[in-house]
Amino acid sequence: DEEFDELCFEFGLELDEITSEKDIISKEKGEEKAKGASDVVLYKIDVPANRYDLLCLEGLVRGLQVFKERINLPKFEKIIPAEGEGQRLIITEQTAQIRPHAVAAVLRNITFTKDRYDSFIDLQEKLHQNICRKRALVAIGTHDLDTITGPFTFTAKAPSEIKFKPLNQSKEYTASQIMDLYRTDSHLRHYLHLIENKPRYPVIYDSNGVVLSMPPIINGDHTKISLKTRNVFIECTGTDITKAKIVLDIMVTMFSEYCEKPFTVEAVEVVHPNGKTHIYPELAYRTEKVKPEYINKKVGISETPSSLAKLLTRMCLKSHVTGNGNHLEIEIPPTRADIIHACDIVEDAAIAYGYNNIQMVIPKTYTIANQLPLNKLTELLRLDLAAAGFTEALTFALCSQEDIADKLGTDISATNAVIIANPKTAEFQVARTTLLPGLLKTIAANRKMPLPLKLFEISDIVVKDPNADVGAKNYRHLCAIYYNKSPGFEIIHGLLDRVMQVLDVPPNEENGYTIKAAEGTAFFPGRCAEVFVKGQSIGKLGVVHPDVITKFELTMPCSVLEINIEPFV
């Protein structure tokens, strides 16, 4: 296990944990539910999102074998059948409005076992979640070729005209009935929205009118793959042709090793609505040229060109030195769609060299980090507020609309709050415009604690600001609250004086601070004052209105201070 963990790390992966089905279930649902679950050891491996070729056992093992230099990277070969013998997929113009692209390929004389079959299905599922963006960009269909006869037609029809027996169902349904059938299905219901409001649904037929699939929802039961299947027809339909080609390449390169002639794929001719034909899969190899010194400089190593070529070859990028040793020629295989730019090649060279083997050096640039003045002021104030006997609270930056509006006696439109578009919970609908609700909720959750409760928080609030480049602005507020049998206004007033004392702001009008009587919906009438510093208002202090106290489920009076500390930076 330790060796494997080490190997994964060297290859740029992470062995997340070693577990079993039983362990997973007992962790999530308790020991009782885990009875009878399998004890087989499972390795949970974290694969980076760009490496689609490592998402199944076949690709991962192949990658590790090449990395350990036990095998050479196989050369994938596309076999183009003789004229008139190959399979054809015809795309009609009806698909243009909904899923315009389709690509296909055939795996001939493949041998499935239970494990290979599970891996084959699992890879489709992983690709669907990852590069296919939950089937929105691409949907994969795999079919038993011996149960159908080409040429195949990819078209779109009205839901009522499509009728077939969906995978693992016992009778035929129309497309509209299928939608209703899967509305409660925990797995498939997430994909229904992709086509359900469209006038036509995409569908693939063979030459006898047998339905292969209704992408991106479900395959037909007729073409279901089993362990006895010898020839597999793979089709990928989608809204993004580049992604569809990548997905098809990954599917065939991973599983062509089980064909009678390993690593060969039979091509399929795809006929577009305009009459043009394309042969898929592309299985395109391409070469890139990179200078060895570019790699050395970027990674911070000094390897010879031939040793860099060897490192890259171990990462499935077959390389050799050309032109007097001043260039590396690198062959990018069809499995590596993630190699887009020279920097991707550099990254692979660094992984093969071993991140831990790169010498650490002090950077040439000499800079000294400094604390943001606002954060420095915040830290200093927190210490002084704590010394004054107040306890610090940290509350959520998001709250419900009621917290900042209805409960404080104002309207949501008057708060200028930033509203979350599709909040997951009612508790997190808006960004807070004041720190007061957070502290009142904290007190409500700590009513059992002995009185008095003295809390404070210094954090950011957010308000809309049309002049800011992001349309909103943060302000650093200080809020303190005193909750007891009597309001204790003098304690909060004393705290304000102490804060001003440590900020070195004298109590006068010209260049100091003053307080003037004011009104606020959250405050008791006649018990509220506004704080002015050098003539500008920075906040309020006062006794909280009884209505506000009851709305936050509290029973005692309390007084509060909330000011903006940014003018003091």
Side-chain angles (χ1 to χ4, degrees):
D1 287 347
E2 280 165 16
E3 283 175 316
F4 186 67
D5 188 11
E6 192 59 34
L7 175 62
C8 283
F9 181 77
E10 283 170 16
F11 190 55
L13 307 175
E14 188 185 348
L15 180 58
D16 209 20
E17 62 174 324
I18 298 169
T19 176
S20 69
E21 213 170 284
K22 198 171 190 172
D23 284 352
I24 296 172
I25 297 173
S26 70
K27 257 187 211 158
E28 287 173 6
K29 301 178 179 166
E31 300 268 323
E32 282 301 304
K33 291 262 168 54
K35 278 183 184 157
S38 143
D39 275 338
V40 178
V41 174
L42 296 177
Y43 284 172
K44 235 181 181 177
I45 301 170
D46 258 352
V47 176
N50 58 342
R51 290 296 300 267
Y52 314 118
D53 56 317
L54 303 178
L55 286 176
C56 65
L57 188 65
E58 287 72 13
L60 182 63
V61 169
R62 197 182 303 157
L64 289 171
Q65 293 274 43
V66 173
F67 182 68
K68 296 287 281 178
E69 298 179 88
R70 290 185 184 171
I71 60 168
N72 290 328
L73 183 68
K75 184 86 178 164
F76 301 103
E77 197 187 336
K78 171 166 64 178
I79 295 175
I80 298 175
E83 189 67 39
E85 287 184 19
Q87 297 298 341
R88 282 166 63 221
L89 175 63
I90 299 155
I91 305 177
T92 65
E93 64 251 353
Q94 280 87 347
T95 59
Q97 300 306 313
I98 175 157
R99 275 183 112 73
H101 305 292
V103 295
V106 172
L107 292 176
R108 279 276 168 207
N109 298 321
I110 191 167
T111 311
F112 278 124
T113 61
K114 176 83 176 77
D115 288 341
R116 292 173 186 182
Y117 175 80
D118 290 344
S119 177
F120 186 67
I121 301 299
D122 194 44
L123 175 63
Q124 291 178 52
E125 208 31 65
K126 287 199 172 77
L127 289 170
H128 274 151
Q129 295 307 321
N130 180 346
I131 180 175
C132 304
R133 293 282 177 276
K134 301 209 164 101
R135 302 192 191 177
L137 301 181
V138 188
I140 312 164
T142 52
H143 313 279
D144 187 334
L145 186 58
D146 301 326
T147 61
I148 41 183
T149 44
F152 305 102
T153 311
F154 174 41
T155 182
K157 290 190 165 186
S160 54
E161 292 173 27
I162 303 171
K163 190 169 189 191
F164 67 103
K165 185 164 131 188
L167 193 63
N168 300 333
Q169 296 291 335
S170 51
K171 63 181 191 64
E172 290 198 345
Y173 295 91
T174 65
S176 331
Q177 290 168 327
I178 289 173
M179 289 305 217
D180 295 333
L181 177 69
Y182 290 126
R183 217 172 291 289
T184 52
D185 185 290
S186 63
H187 176 58
L188 290 173
R189 64 192 166 115
H190 304 296
Y191 309 117
L192 301 184
H193 69 92
L194 295 171
I195 60 168
E196 70 179 334
N197 297 325
K198 302 278 198 302
R200 290 164 175 263
Y201 289 179
V203 62
I204 300 177
Y205 290 102
D206 81 344
S207 55
N208 300 327
V210 174
V211 172
L212 276 71
S213 68
M214 183 173 84
I217 311 299
I218 190 81
N219 287 353
D221 193 64
H222 183 85
T223 60
K224 183 162 80 176
I225 291 181
S226 67
L227 296 185
K228 297 193 182 77
T229 300
R230 297 287 292 148
N231 300 302
V232 179
F233 178 70
I234 302 175
E235 40 82 9
C236 302
T237 59
T239 52
D240 181 328
I241 185 69
T242 313
K243 297 270 195 298
K245 288 181 198 170
I246 293 172
V247 169
L248 183 67
D249 278 351
I250 295 293
M251 286 302 299
V252 297
T253 51
M254 291 303 113
F255 288 91
S256 54
E257 70 173 86
Y258 300 135
C259 293
E260 198 168 15
K261 286 190 193 154
F263 307 115
T264 60
V265 185
E266 183 181 309
V268 172
E269 187 180 10
V270 175
V271 185
H272 295 281
N274 59 9
K276 284 191 179 154
T277 63
H278 253 96
I279 302 287
Y280 291 107
E282 288 193 342
L283 286 186
Y285 283 86
R286 66 174 213 274
T287 51
E288 293 280 346
K289 281 191 171 170
V290 179
K291 289 191 167 158
E293 56 266 31
Y294 174 77
I295 297 180
N296 279 329
K297 189 174 165 219
K298 290 279 182 215
V299 181
I301 53 179
S302 49
E303 291 290 292
T304 61
S306 58
S307 96
L308 286 173
K310 197 173 166 194
L311 290 176
L312 287 168
T313 304
R314 288 175 57 201
M315 295 300 288
C316 300
L317 301 172
K318 202 166 152 198
S319 313
H320 58 270
V321 185
T322 60
N324 307 336
N326 53 10
H327 269 96
L328 287 176
E329 204 166 84
I330 297 138
E331 184 181 61
I332 315 289
T335 47
R336 293 301 303 274
D338 59 301
I339 306 282
I340 297 168
H341 181 274
C343 66
D344 298 311
I345 295 169
V346 173
E347 182 191 13
D348 269 13
I351 290 171
Y353 184 81
Y355 282 177
N356 286 348
N357 302 329
I358 300 170
Q359 288 296 310
M360 286 198 183
V361 287
I362 292 172
K364 299 271 193 305
T365 48
Y366 187 66
T367 57
I368 297 173
N370 216 336
Q371 198 175 12
L372 208 63
L374 180 61
N375 286 346
K376 192 172 179 183
L377 175 69
T378 303
E379 294 294 329
L380 292 167
L381 277 172
R382 286 163 69 194
L383 288 173
D384 275 303
L385 285 165
F390 282 73
T391 304
E392 184 171 25
L394 284 170
T395 61
F396 289 119
L398 299 178
C399 56
S400 67
Q401 293 199 14
E402 280 101 57
D403 289 344
I404 55 165
D406 311 353
K407 288 185 181 178
L408 298 181
T410 57
D411 188 58
I412 188 73
S413 54
T415 60
N416 218 1
V418 175
I419 297 170
I420 310 284
N422 47 350
K424 285 271 189 208
T425 66
E427 279 298 294
F428 296 149
Q429 294 171 327
V430 293
R432 61 183 171 192
T433 53
T434 158
L435 300 178
L436 180 59
L439 288 181
L440 288 169
K441 286 194 317 202
T442 307
I443 288 179
N446 289 280
R447 280 177 301 211
K448 296 196 176 75
M449 303 299 275
L451 294 174
L453 289 176
K454 297 155 82 175
L455 301 180
F456 80 92
E457 178 169 15
I458 308 180
S459 289
D460 280 3
I461 60 115
V462 186
V463 287
K464 278 191 210 154
D465 181 354
N467 304 323
D469 54 354
V470 290
K473 199 167 175 195
N474 287 21
Y475 291 99
R476 187 68 52 93
H477 274 204
L478 176 159
C479 184
I481 192 162
Y482 177 80
Y483 178 77
N484 201 356
K485 292 187 170 110
S486 64
F489 180 72
E490 64 285 352
I491 288 172
I492 283 295
H493 191 176
L495 185 74
L496 172 69
D497 290 345
R498 174 66 185 151
V499 169
M500 292 302 166
Q501 189 182 1
V502 298
L503 289 170
D504 201 18
V505 180
N508 62 39
E509 259 187 60
E510 286 82 59
N511 55 0
Y513 77 102
T514 52
I515 62 172
K516 295 184 177 148
E519 290 302 321
T521 53
F523 294 98
F524 200 85
R527 299 278 177 89
C528 168
E530 199 160 3
V531 185
F532 291 90
V533 170
K534 295 181 185 167
Q536 83 175 83
S537 165
I538 61 159
K540 289 186 172 152
L541 76 160
V543 177
V544 179
H545 199 290
D547 288 352
V548 176
I549 291 175
T550 49
K551 277 177 189 160
F552 279 97
E553 298 171 18
L554 298 174
T555 49
M556 306 274 182
C558 63
S559 51
V560 63
L561 157 74
E562 181 161 10
I563 57 170
N564 176 8
I565 63 166
E566 292 191 10
F568 304 112
V569 174

